[in-house]
């Protein structure tokens, strides 16, 4: 009998790129250059299926459609990836026996061994107007806001990992989100009990904009930068204090950040794969869909891989003393 799927929660402010990451995650995993870094993703509910249908427009237009959210939407996905699991195994060994130990006897022992297995996770994203429902409602029904917030708190209490999307190119919105996040984490905690998250993955989105001016050196420039430092600076000390204090000590060692770009970089060249003049990917060709085979979203899979399995690929640890 297989284990029940574990829950992963994904959050982030408006314009952080949450739905963009999700819409390209299946293609990014399929085009992943490292087989052991793949994450299988399937939509579960109608909103998730609709998001994947919209993603087909990318093939037709060469652009990733960014649509604002005007009402609370719940996206539910099934993620599957390889994880290490400790299992008990019986082994038979020979031991000395008899006079002076010259004989042998077989002894059965139970030992623990690590095996790699496929594991299912349920990824849930609740996306509301303004990108999240953390802050107080500016308009609308306060009772409905309270109901939605309670639903979000309940989801967080059932989640083993947290994925945070943040756009370092929009520090104002991001800073406001992290300010609101402190109160949310306080609500998730029951008394002095820490939040249940075992891992926190921070996806620093739109990373290509950080280095677009460097031409063919853009990818090398990005990989020389530390996404954890960028995340720490954008969050600020107060927000980092709140996040780390809400986690149990072991989870504080499992906060990692990584650069992500849904457009990615041009293979064998290293320049960014986005043309600001056309609003399309540089490699886009409207006469064939084969161009998609050469589209490699950057760092999109890795935050979800870490959230599911704790495996670190292109992710940097975010350290903070409290």
């Amino acid at each position: 009998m297989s284990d029940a799927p574990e829950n992963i929660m994904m959050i982030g402010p408006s314009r952080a790129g949450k739905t963009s990451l999700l819409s390209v995650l299946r293609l990014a995993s399929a085009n992943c250059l490292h087989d052991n870094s793949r994450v299988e993703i399937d939509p579960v509910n109608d909103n998730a299926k609709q998001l994947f249908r919209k993603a087909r427009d990318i093939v037709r237009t060469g652009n990733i459609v960014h649509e604002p959210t005007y009402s609370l939407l719940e996206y539910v996905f099934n993620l599957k990836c390889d994880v290490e699991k400790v299992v008990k195994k019986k082994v038979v060994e020979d031991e000395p026996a008899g006079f002076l130990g010259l004989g042998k006897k077989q002894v059965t022992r139970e030992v623990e061994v690590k095996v790699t297995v496929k594991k299912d996770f349920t990824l849930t994203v609740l996306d509301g107007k303004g990108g999240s429902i953390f802050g107080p409602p500016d308009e609308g029904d306060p009772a409905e806001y309270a109901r939605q917030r309670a639903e979000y708190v309940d989801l967080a209490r059932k989640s083993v990992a947290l994925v945070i999307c943040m756009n370092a190119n929009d520090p104002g919105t991001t800073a406001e989100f992290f300010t609101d996040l402190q109160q949310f984490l306080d609500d998730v905690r029951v008394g002095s009990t820490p939040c249940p998250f075992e891992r926190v993955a921070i996806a620093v989105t739109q990373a290509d904009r950080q280095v677009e001016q460097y031409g063919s050196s853009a990818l090398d420039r990005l990989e020389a930068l530390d996404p954890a430092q960028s995340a720490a600076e954008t969050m600020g000390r107060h927000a980092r204090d709140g996040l780390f204090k809400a986690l149990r000590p072991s989870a504080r060692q499992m906060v990692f950040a990584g650069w992500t770009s849904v457009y990615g970089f041009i293979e064998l060249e290293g320049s960014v794969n986005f043309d600001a003049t056309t609003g399309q990917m540089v490699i886009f060709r409207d006469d064939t869909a084969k161009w998609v085979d050469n589209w490699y979203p950057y760092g999109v899979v890795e935050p979800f891989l870490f959230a599911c399995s704790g495996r670190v690929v292109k992710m940097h640890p975010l350290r903070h003393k409290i």
Side-chain angles (χ1 to χ4, degrees):
M1 182 176 178
S2 60
D3 295 334
E6 294 181 324
N7 294 313
I8 295 174
M9 182 180 184
M10 181 176 175
I11 60 177
S14 177
R15 298 186 299 274
K18 299 183 294 298
T19 53
S20 296
L21 281 182
L22 293 170
S23 67
V24 305
L25 183 56
R26 175 180 279 176
L27 180 140
S29 184
N31 282 9
C32 187
L33 298 178
H34 308 286
D35 288 340
N36 66 344
S37 298
R38 290 185 178 175
V39 175
E40 299 174 24
I41 180 169
D42 291 298
V44 174
N45 68 349
D46 288 341
N47 288 331
K49 293 175 182 177
Q50 179 65 21
L51 180 63
F52 271 25
R53 283 193 287 269
K54 290 179 181 178
R56 296 173 186 168
D57 292 339
I58 299 171
V59 178
R60 181 175 54 83
T61 65
N63 190 18
I64 298 170
V65 179
H66 306 276
E67 295 187 355
T69 303
Y70 296 104
S71 59
L72 183 70
L73 296 176
E74 180 183 60
Y75 300 95
V76 183
F77 301 87
N78 176 260
L79 301 181
K80 185 188 295 288
C81 76
D82 291 336
V83 299
E84 285 191 343
K85 182 179 180 180
V86 176
V87 298
K88 292 183 177 181
K89 180 180 179 181
K90 290 184 178 181
V91 296
V92 179
E93 299 176 338
D94 290 332
E95 281 192 355
F99 181 68
L100 299 178
L102 298 178
K104 290 184 178 179
K105 67 175 181 179
Q106 289 189 330
V107 178
T108 301
R109 301 184 187 280
E110 195 171 62
V111 297
E112 291 186 343
V113 296
K114 284 185 178 181
V115 297
T116 300
V117 297
K118 287 284 186 183
K119 185 170 177 61
D120 289 296
F121 295 85
T122 299
L123 172 66
T124 304
V125 185
L126 289 176
D127 201 8
K129 183 178 180 181
S132 67
I133 56 169
F134 291 110
D138 296 325
E139 56 187 51
D141 183 3
E144 177 62 14
Y145 165 81
R147 185 194 67 78
Q148 294 174 359
R149 184 180 177 86
E151 182 179 345
Y152 224 15
V153 169
D154 182 63
L155 173 63
R157 289 175 177 169
K158 299 175 181 177
S159 298
V160 299
L162 178 67
V163 178
I164 300 176
C165 286
M166 58 178 290
N167 182 359
N169 303 296
D170 187 8
T173 303
T174 302
E176 182 179 350
F177 162 79
F178 277 107
T179 299
D180 295 334
L181 179 62
Q182 310 315 306
Q183 182 60 53
F184 175 75
L185 293 176
D186 286 343
D187 291 345
V188 172
R189 301 177 66 179
V190 180
S192 60
T193 304
C195 291
F197 312 124
E198 298 173 7
R199 297 171 293 278
V200 177
I202 301 176
V204 186
T205 61
Q206 300 184 28
D208 50 317
R209 289 184 54 191
Q210 300 269 337
V211 293
E212 59 188 350
Q213 69 272 28
Y214 294 112
S216 59
S217 300
L219 179 56
D220 289 338
R221 288 273 188 162
L222 181 68
E223 293 187 335
L225 299 175
D226 185 352
Q229 180 179 347
S230 175
E233 292 174 353
T234 304
M235 291 171 65
R237 180 171 181 82
H238 177 72
R240 296 198 307 275
D241 271 344
L243 174 61
F244 276 74
K245 286 178 180 178
L247 301 174
R248 60 172 63 100
S250 59
R252 294 169 191 165
Q253 304 301 313
M254 297 297 286
V255 181
F256 279 68
W259 297 117
T260 71
S261 167
V262 294
Y263 293 103
F265 298 84
I266 299 176
E267 188 183 17
L268 303 179
E269 181 180 320
S271 57
V272 300
N273 183 30
F274 181 72
D275 187 341
T277 60
T278 65
Q280 296 173 318
M281 297 185 210
V282 174
I283 64 171
F284 171 68
R285 299 292 182 271
D286 58 9
D287 59 343
T288 176
K290 290 184 179 180
W291 68 269
V292 177
D293 295 337
N294 298 314
W295 171 31
Y296 298 97
Y298 183 86
V300 170
V301 176
E302 287 77 2
F304 298 96
L305 178 71
F306 175 74
C308 290
S309 67
R311 193 179 312 152
V312 178
V313 179
K314 291 183 182 177
M315 302 284 285
H316 292 224
L318 178 60
R319 302 299 185 222
H320 180 70
K321 293 182 179 181
I322 57 174

